[in-house]
Amino acid sequence: MHGTGVREGLEQTLAKVRTGVGTLPLSPDSVVGPPWGQEHGPADLDVTPVLPESSARTRAAADGEAPEDGATDAATWGLLLDDPLLELRLLAAAPSAETGIVVGGQPTEVELQQRLDEAEMAPEALEAAGVADEELRSALAFVRDSEALAGAAQAVGDAGDPELLDAVSRSVVARVLHDQRTADPPRLSPVAVSGDRRTELVDAVGDALFGAPTRGIFTRTVWKTFGPLAMRIGNAQVRENRAKLMDPFSDFIRDVAFYIRRGEAVRTYLANAISDLPANGPVVVVGHSLGGIAMVDLMSGDDAPHVDLLVTVGSQAPYLYLLDSLVSLRPGQDAKPFTPWLNIYSPADFLSFRAAPAFPDVDGIVDEEVDAGVPFPESHSAYWSQKETYSLIGQHWP
């Protein structure tokens, strides 16, 4: 049961789910995805006209903080995706290296530019990342021609400096991801929804440019020195570019508000879709985002269809329950949600919530974390590209 913002990409999402189900002893043909959003969902929403003028001027936002461990790596990438050259700009802000006259060699900037011009990526690395060769070429050219590269090269003064090489490789990958995020519609390639795939691509770019993979994570030196500057940049961009930051939340609010007012038609549609399934095995319903809200509400009601396992992924059902916005479950009235209920969430997905703490006296609710290592809003759709999602469903299969 798809959720917010998936109406246009339902078939692509189903293809990912069927591929994931193929890793279990299940037939991909057993996956059915009723298009309830196309039948009963609300129209698209553009919140820009009602925002303050300064916020609506540019539609690109970022947020992040200096990483202290792997958990904050995704937040830092969120900042870099908004400005792929940010790390190079930070390096360029350092005092310039005293390199003097280059004898028998060439300036650092020229050497880096040549490496970017001559880079050749292995086709299998691009295929695994879901990146076309022309996308990579565009990103390489973008970094090559940037003033940030020239500034970083002058500041560091050594084309073999590991920190500089890491920053160049990450800038190329960040530009690829930035272009995919800002495409219309946005592209959710494997590298966009998996931190592991992103690291592999950074390594592959580093190998193509410099003959050795990079570390794939941000070095402590850059962020120890320039972390406060990065924070100030990020906060300013968030204030000035509120529209893009609000897009996923606006979609969420739009769909939830619609569901609260007109959820009966959605529940009836989904109940009929479940009842029409062939009676040849257990029935497992998987609800993503708003689809999870509808399924929790439907399955906890009096006229619920037969289901053997409820799975919610990146869902706000527990949150709406606490807001007293569900029809079948109300706080303080001995609420009994449907069980068994497997609820999958991610710390990086700001639209996901834990379920078990909302119903402390109910057995049969299991919360499981699946973290793809990517920033929001990609994290909200990244579950379908993670093996852990399907492994958990398989572990709880009735």
Side-chain angles (χ1 to χ4, degrees), residues 4 252 256 288-293 313-321 326 349-353 380:
T4 178
F252 161 64
V256 168
H288 178 223
S289 192
L290 179 58
I293 295 175
V313 181
S315 180
Q316 308 84 39
Y319 181 56
L320 261 68
Y321 165 72
L326 298 179
D349 176 11
F350 304 147
L351 296 180
S352 70
F353 297 84
H380 190 53

Side-chain angles (χ1 to χ4, degrees), residues 50-317:
V50 298
L51 292 179
E53 185 176 353
S54 61
S55 298
R57 187 160 47 236
T58 307
R59 300 183 61 77
D63 194 9
E65 59 185 61
E68 298 176 355
D69 52 39
T72 57
D73 196 44
T76 308
W77 271 98
L79 187 58
L80 193 58
L81 261 63
D82 185 68
D83 180 3
L85 299 174
L86 175 60
E87 195 174 1
L88 292 176
R89 297 187 206 280
L90 298 180
L91 284 174
S96 298
E98 297 181 1
T99 55
I101 301 175
V102 178
V103 179
Q106 55 189 357
T108 301
E109 176 188 356
V110 175
E111 182 173 343
L112 291 175
Q113 288 176 334
Q114 288 182 352
R115 289 179 179 272
L116 288 161
D117 285 338
E118 299 168 0
E120 293 291 340
M121 282 279 292
E124 55 270 21
L126 291 175
E127 182 178 359
V131 175
D133 183 69
E134 55 267 25
E135 288 182 281
L136 179 68
R137 293 292 166 198
S138 176
L140 289 167
F142 172 81
V143 175
R144 181 205 184 282
D145 298 333
S146 67
E147 293 182 3
L149 179 72
Q154 180 178 359
V156 176
D158 177 6
D161 181 81
E163 193 164 74
L164 176 59
L165 303 185
D166 290 351
V168 172
S169 300
R170 280 191 292 270
S171 293
V172 171
V173 173
R175 180 63 183 187
V176 170
L177 292 170
H178 173 87
D179 289 344
Q180 292 188 353
R181 173 183 276 189
T182 55
D184 186 18
R187 285 193 57 210
L188 291 176
S189 65
V191 72
V193 295
S194 170
D196 291 338
R197 287 274 188 249
R198 185 187 60 218
T199 298
E200 291 170 4
L201 184 60
V202 172
D203 288 345
V205 170
D207 190 50
L209 291 174
F210 312 112
T214 65
R215 286 181 288 277
I217 60 173
F218 294 88
T219 58
R220 301 281 84 82
T221 303
V222 161
W223 287 105
K224 180 179 180 181
T225 305
F226 299 111
L229 172 61
M231 285 296 293
R232 288 196 295 273
I233 292 173
N235 289 337
Q237 287 175 332
V238 168
R239 288 194 301 270
E240 289 301 313
N241 304 299
R242 179 178 163 195
K244 183 63 178 178
L245 183 66
M246 284 192 64
D247 277 351
F249 294 106
S250 296
D251 287 343
F252 161 64
I253 294 170
R254 170 201 62 191
D255 281 5
V256 168
F258 170 86
Y259 176 78
I260 292 173
R261 289 288 302 272
R262 298 176 175 85
E264 183 176 357
V266 175
R267 291 190 297 274
T268 299
Y269 179 88
L270 295 178
N272 291 334
I274 295 172
S275 298
D276 290 341
L277 294 173
N280 57 359
V283 175
V284 175
V285 293
V286 182
H288 178 223
S289 192
L290 179 58
I293 295 175
M295 290 315 307
V296 169
D297 216 358
L298 171 63
M299 296 309 305
S300 301
D302 295 332
D303 299 321
H306 172 76
V307 164
D308 298 285
L309 172 66
L310 168 63
V311 181
T312 53
V313 181
S315 180
Q316 308 84 39

